[in-house]
């Protein structure tokens, strides 16, 4: 679960505080789940709120916690323009991260 949260925060360009606000949970809960520091059982409602805020299927984090293959995120019923704009922005952030990684790898190779 920690990896899922971390990966989505990177893709979305968010910090823990932003996720906590969007999911209406405390930042401490986000931190504990992201860094796997407290193995207490979380309510299905908390995991659902976090999943939805991260743009995942509502049961995604619960499925991960239970060791079940998560269901794919579903498109909104209205296929709103807002969803597609957010998706395109996510893809742009991912491409930027990949380009940064390529540049760093190239720099490392040249410095050897």
């Amino acid at each position: 679960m920690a990896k899922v949260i971390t990966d989505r925060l990177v893709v979305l360009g968010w910090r823990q505080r932003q996720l906590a606000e969007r999911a209406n949970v405390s930042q401490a809960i986000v931190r504990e789940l992201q860094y796997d520091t407290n193995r207490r059982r979380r309510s299905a409602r908390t995991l659902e709120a976090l999943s939805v805020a991260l743009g995942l299927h509502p049961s995604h984090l619960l499925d991960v916690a239970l060791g079940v293959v998560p269901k794919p995120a579903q498109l909104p019923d209205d296929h709103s323009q807002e969803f597609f704009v957010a998706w395109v922005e996510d893809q742009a952030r991912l491409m930027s991260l990949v380009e940064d990684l390529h540049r760093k790898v190239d720099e490392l190779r040249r410095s050897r």
Side-chain angles (χ1 to χ4, degrees), residues 13-61:
W14 292 355
R15 297 192 175 273
Q16 291 174 350
R17 179 178 33 81
Q18 291 166 293
L19 173 56
E21 289 170 0
R22 285 177 164 86
N24 200 28
V25 301
S26 73
Q27 187 174 341
I29 289 174
V30 174
R31 182 175 45 254
E32 289 172 1
L33 290 171
Q34 185 180 5
Y35 295 113
D36 199 20
T37 58
N38 192 331
R39 296 230 172 183
R40 74 177 122 171
R41 184 178 168 175
R42 301 296 175 174
S43 75
R45 193 162 50 192
T46 296
L47 296 178
E48 179 179 342
L50 289 164
S51 294
V52 170
L54 289 168
L56 304 169
H57 187 278
S59 69
H60 192 101
L61 292 177

Side-chain angles (χ1 to χ4, degrees), residues 16 18 24-25 28-29 33 35 61 63 65 77 79 82-83 85 89 91 93-94 96 98-99 105-106:
Q16 291 174 350
Q18 291 166 293
N24 200 28
V25 301
I29 289 174
L33 290 171
Y35 295 113
L61 292 177
D63 289 344
D77 291 336
H79 301 285
E82 182 179 312
F83 171 83
V85 168
E89 289 171 350
Q91 300 309 306
R93 281 190 202 96
L94 279 173
S96 176
V98 169
E99 289 169 3
V105 168
D106 289 342

